[in-house]
Amino acid sequence: MSKGILFVMSGPSGTGKGTICSRLLDNKENDVFLSVSSTTRERRKDEIDGVTYNYTTTEHFKEMIDNGEMLEYAVYNGNYYGTPKHAVETTLDTGRSVLLEIEPQGALKVKKIFPEATLIFILPPSMAELKARLEERGRETPEQIAERLDAAKWEMEQSRLYDCVFVNDDLDDCVKEVEKFMRDKMEKKRLVEELLNEKY
Ligand code: 5GP
């Protein structure tokens, strides 16, 4: 059986990529598995351990790195975030596609390990809108928001290294565009496999 496609989605904090990913997964016609990352950041009230992230200590996170359990990891605003290797590789081996929602340092590491991975970047319509969205969701302190906006500049520069870039101006439209892009990619892969298996 051929491997699934590895999709990697990045975008500045507040750009709406988390919501886009949930919407993509809610639609059962999109046969995509979302990888659950590990992090040392504190769990927020609305988050579920084992679903949103696997929350762990810095000590345990470093042990996982040393044991080669991480496909990639990065430090973002003082916390470790990483993708567990085993779940991603075994899912891809079953032919199912996998979606990672990670920041660009990690995404670019993944591209080195899996050059065939498809990198998707989500941009906000403007910096003013990004700031407004971060303030509106009220999850971070003003200092943390400032840090996230600073990080956003470097992150957006990396978008030129991605396979495709979408602007999340209207959420519904953006979800439709990303969904179409991913489905086309899966459909073309299926077609190529069919052609390669065809007897002539
Ligand atoms: P948040 O704290 O808002 O949940 O996430 C902060 C940033 O870390 C986001 O850009 C998110 O995409 C990224 N992130 C989440 N999981 C991972 C991961 O496993 N690896 C990397 N490199 N970044 C991650």
Side-chain angles (χ1 to χ4, degrees):
M1 175 180 286
S2 78
K3 285 193 173 197
I5 300 177
L6 181 56
F7 291 103
V8 183
M9 187 181 289
S10 306
S13 181
T15 201
K17 62 188 186 305
T19 314
I20 295 170
C21 285
S22 328
R23 294 270 291 266
L24 291 169
L25 295 171
D26 285 348
N27 185 346
K28 297 295 169 229
E29 281 176 33
N30 299 322
D31 189 24
V32 180
F33 165 86
L34 181 72
S35 158
V36 179
S37 296
S38 293
T39 186
T40 60
R41 122 154 129 58
E42 257 180 49
R43 187 174 65 81
R44 298 179 189 130
K45 274 192 204 118
D46 57 336
E47 295 179 340
I48 305 168
D49 194 4
V51 177
T52 320
Y53 284 108
N54 289 310
Y55 301 90
T56 189
T57 59
T58 305
E59 196 187 4
H60 182 231
F61 198 102
K62 287 184 175 166
E63 255 173 49
M64 291 193 285
I65 298 171
D66 291 344
N67 294 339
E69 292 172 39
M70 291 296 178
L71 176 61
E72 63 73 36
Y73 68 93
V75 178
Y76 178 90
N77 286 346
N79 293 304
Y80 282 93
Y81 294 82
T83 306
K85 196 190 272 178
H86 183 73
V88 171
E89 288 183 346
T90 50
T91 309
L92 288 174
D93 284 346
T94 65
R96 217 171 155 207
S97 293
V98 174
L99 176 60
L100 308 183
E101 193 233 292
I102 65 177
E103 56 68 59
Q105 299 172 63
L108 298 172
K109 280 187 211 161
V110 170
K111 187 75 179 177
K112 277 201 180 139
I113 304 166
F114 290 96
E116 68 283 12
T118 300
L119 305 194
I120 300 171
F121 200 94
I122 309 291
L123 284 175
S126 68
M127 285 306 280
E129 177 65 24
L130 186 66
K131 185 166 181 256
R133 285 181 192 173
L134 284 170
E135 287 170 349
E136 209 171 287
R137 74 182 187 184
R139 284 191 205 149
E140 290 90 9
T141 62
E143 293 73 29
Q144 286 169 332
I145 291 181
E147 278 175 7
R148 285 182 179 235
L149 287 169
D150 275 349
K153 289 190 183 149
W154 177 83
E155 291 176 86
M156 289 189 293
E157 274 173 31
Q158 310 313 308
S159 66
R160 66 196 159 81
L161 302 172
Y162 280 60
D163 297 302
C164 59
V165 178
F166 297 92
V167 180
N168 183 14
D169 195 354
D170 178 272
L171 180 65
D172 288 340
D173 288 348
C174 189
V175 170
K176 272 188 212 141
E177 285 171 25
V178 176
E179 196 164 54
K180 181 173 181 325
F181 173 82
M182 290 171 69
R183 282 196 193 177
D184 282 354
K185 197 95 197 163
M186 292 193 255
E187 184 52 28
K188 277 177 200 148
K189 178 175 167 284
R190 197 193 54 73
L191 179 64
V192 169
E193 277 157 16
E194 250 179 46
L195 289 170
L196 294 175
N197 285 326
E198 209 173 286
K199 300 257 182 304
Y200 58 91

